[in-house]
Amino acid sequence: MGFLQSSWSFSRYFVIGDLPEDYEKEFASAVERYAFKNMEEQSAEERRIGWAGIHDMFQTRVDAMGFLNPPYVSLTLRIDKKHVPPKALLRYTKEAEAAVREEEALEYLPRARRLEIKDAVNLNLIKRAIPDSAAYDMVWNLETGIVMFGSANAKLGDEFSELFTKTFGLTLTPVFPYALGLSLLEKDGKEPGRMDDMTSMESLEDDE
Amino acid sequence: MQVVDKALETEYVGRDFLTWLWFKSETGEGRFRLDKAGDVELWFDGPVTLQSEGSAGAEKVVCSNEALTEARFALTEGRKVVKATIRVKAGEDEWVCGLDSLWLNFRGVRLPKTVKEKEEDREGIFYERAFLIERLVGIMDEFFALFLKLRLSGRWREEEFPLLKAWVNGSSNTE
């Protein structure tokens, strides 16, 4: 589910750092640099990541993405992955082993050789595989400095943060209750250290 | 300290917030008046998950919203709310979403039915959705700010916590 669909799940991040003065121009060339590029045919690459349009994950031309709608920057993080089904790998590996045994008149193949064959088969199947595409939307409010990102997965969040920093030259830090509290106290001109005065609520069990 | 470690160490902030929010919603018939958002209704809608602190692997208790007695019992056993689905209404707009205590991520946000799909107006659709999602986020942040203000004031110990405890133990007058 995505930002433009009927249901959306997202995590939030604070953006750390100031926007460059000429951000509209700078961001356009940065997004183009890190825009998603299709894997070459017959490539052994298993995974590729990059930016695409939030309206269409197959739109990777920056001039057509429509990523800047002030005060928002909106993009989708597209990830293409190739996957070899385990049963297919097993089947083709067994066939390849049988062919090698016949060709070399061997009754038995040592483990190291079997692993070599398996790797070679896997590589061949990866090259032939058609990638699956997944999209995770991002909406960044330039005025509030908050990014909403369409995944709560920690590993994916790290990958997203890394690409965001490479692209925009700014750092992301996740929003969580304690951090949100710090931010709210700072905005109110109160001492952020007060968050550390808060301990877990006492027992709710009746004393009687 | 890594962010994840800090989030885990301070998860009690989120648990206390969600537990307090449930209490406020139940005892105030779900009606609130917020400074910025104005008149808002909020109620817990669907299963509520409760868990003891410092026990990520320990047994979770999932209670349906109707099984308040069961949920209150879980609260007296030291469990607090770690996950809940809430329904929020402000003016003509109504949202449903899930919240978790660790990150306060928004899960499965369903927007007001007023959002129309006008395929030819991509920009219009975008801005409408951004406005409605941010409105919901703003409302929840305002609830959190209210909780924080109370929690860090003398009023918590003197007024709010005793009422919360009375509600949990089924001895409040608002039942």
Side-chain angles (χ1 to χ4, degrees), chain A:
Chain A
M1 293 277 104
F3 175 79
L4 295 168
Q5 285 157 329
S6 58
S7 167
W8 194 40
S9 299
F10 59 92
S11 50
R12 289 190 291 165
Y13 294 82
F14 295 111
V15 178
I16 312 294
D18 296 323
L19 286 179
E21 267 191 41
D22 196 11
Y23 71 85
E24 291 183 36
K25 209 166 151 194
E26 280 192 37
F27 284 1
S29 64
V31 168
E32 183 165 26
R33 188 165 168 219
Y34 291 100
F36 186 87
K37 290 161 188 64
N38 288 325
M39 293 187 205
E40 292 76 32
E41 281 193 26
Q42 295 295 312
S43 158
E45 196 180 350
E46 293 185 47
R47 198 170 183 279
R48 191 171 276 200
I49 185 171
W51 300 117
I54 202 169
H55 295 275
D56 176 4
M57 67 188 265
F58 300 111
Q59 180 51 265
T60 55
R61 270 186 32 227
V62 71
D63 56 346
M65 278 184 204
F67 77 92
L68 195 55
N69 293 301
Y72 302 101
V73 165
S74 59
L75 290 160
T76 202
L77 179 71
R78 178 170 153 193
I79 301 179
D80 277 17
K81 268 194 288 205
K82 284 187 183 179
H83 168 69
V84 174
K87 283 184 181 165
L89 179 60
L90 183 64
R91 179 191 141 199
Y92 283 101
T93 302
K94 280 188 184 307
E95 284 178 13
E97 283 176 7
V100 165
R101 282 201 307 274
E102 192 181 322
E103 202 177 299
E104 298 180 18
L106 295 168
E107 272 194 38
Y108 167 78
L109 289 174
R111 188 168 184 271
R113 191 82 195 276
R114 292 205 317 274
L115 284 174
E116 254 179 47
I117 293 169
K118 186 182 177 184
D119 286 347
V121 166
N122 190 52
L123 180 62
N124 192 33
L125 290 174
I126 282 282
K127 283 182 179 178
R128 288 159 51 182
I130 295 172
D132 267 330
S133 301
Y136 304 93
D137 295 337
M138 165 196 87
V139 177
W140 172 15
N141 186 324
L142 299 174
E143 284 175 1
T144 63
I146 300 283
V147 169
M148 297 185 285
F149 175 60
S151 172
N153 179 283
K155 204 170 157 212
L156 191 54
D158 287 344
E159 233 179 326
F160 161 67
S161 293
E162 203 182 308
L163 186 65
F164 183 96
T165 300
K166 276 187 196 166
T167 310
F168 302 108
L170 299 165
T171 314
L172 292 178
T173 178
V175 173
F176 57 100
Y178 176 90
L180 183 60
L182 285 178
S183 162
L184 289 170
L185 286 171
E186 274 169 8
K187 266 193 205 140
D188 265 353
K190 302 216 168 70
E191 175 53 50
R194 295 198 64 205
M195 277 308 292
D196 295 319
D197 293 339
M198 192 194 298
T199 52
S200 178
M201 210 157 53
E202 291 161 31
S203 167
L204 291 164
E205 192 175 0
D206 207 348
D207 294 328
E208 291 169 1

Side-chain angles (χ1 to χ4, degrees), chain B residues 97-160:
Chain B
C97 76
L99 288 175
D100 70 283
S101 59
L102 180 58
W103 299 102
L104 285 187
N105 287 337
F106 289 77
R107 294 170 187 268
V109 176
R110 294 207 303 272
L111 294 187
K113 288 190 174 98
T114 51
V115 175
K116 290 191 179 21
E117 297 300 320
K118 305 177 276 277
E119 286 201 13
E120 67 279 6
D121 183 12
R122 276 186 4 170
E123 212 174 272
I125 293 172
F126 175 83
Y127 276 115
E128 190 173 22
R129 294 188 78 86
F131 169 75
L132 287 168
I133 288 172
E134 286 195 318
R135 193 167 178 221
L136 170 66
V137 170
I139 288 170
M140 294 317 302
D141 281 354
E142 216 180 331
F143 273 116
F144 186 76
L146 189 62
F147 164 74
L148 201 65
K149 193 171 170 185
L150 254 177
R151 190 72 182 81
L152 293 174
S153 76
R155 275 188 59 205
W156 178 262
R157 186 174 285 279
E158 286 156 23
E159 295 170 24
E160 197 76 354

Side-chain angles (χ1 to χ4, degrees), chain B residues 57-76:
Chain B
E59 192 189 330
K60 286 183 181 167
V61 172
V62 182
C63 301
S64 71
N65 197 37
E66 287 77 34
L68 202 50
T69 311
E70 196 186 332
R72 281 178 178 170
F73 182 68
L75 287 167
T76 64

Side-chain angles (χ1 to χ4, degrees), chain B residues 50-61:
Chain B
L50 301 105
Q51 190 177 36
S52 303
E53 236 152 73
S55 53
E59 192 189 330
K60 286 183 181 167
V61 172

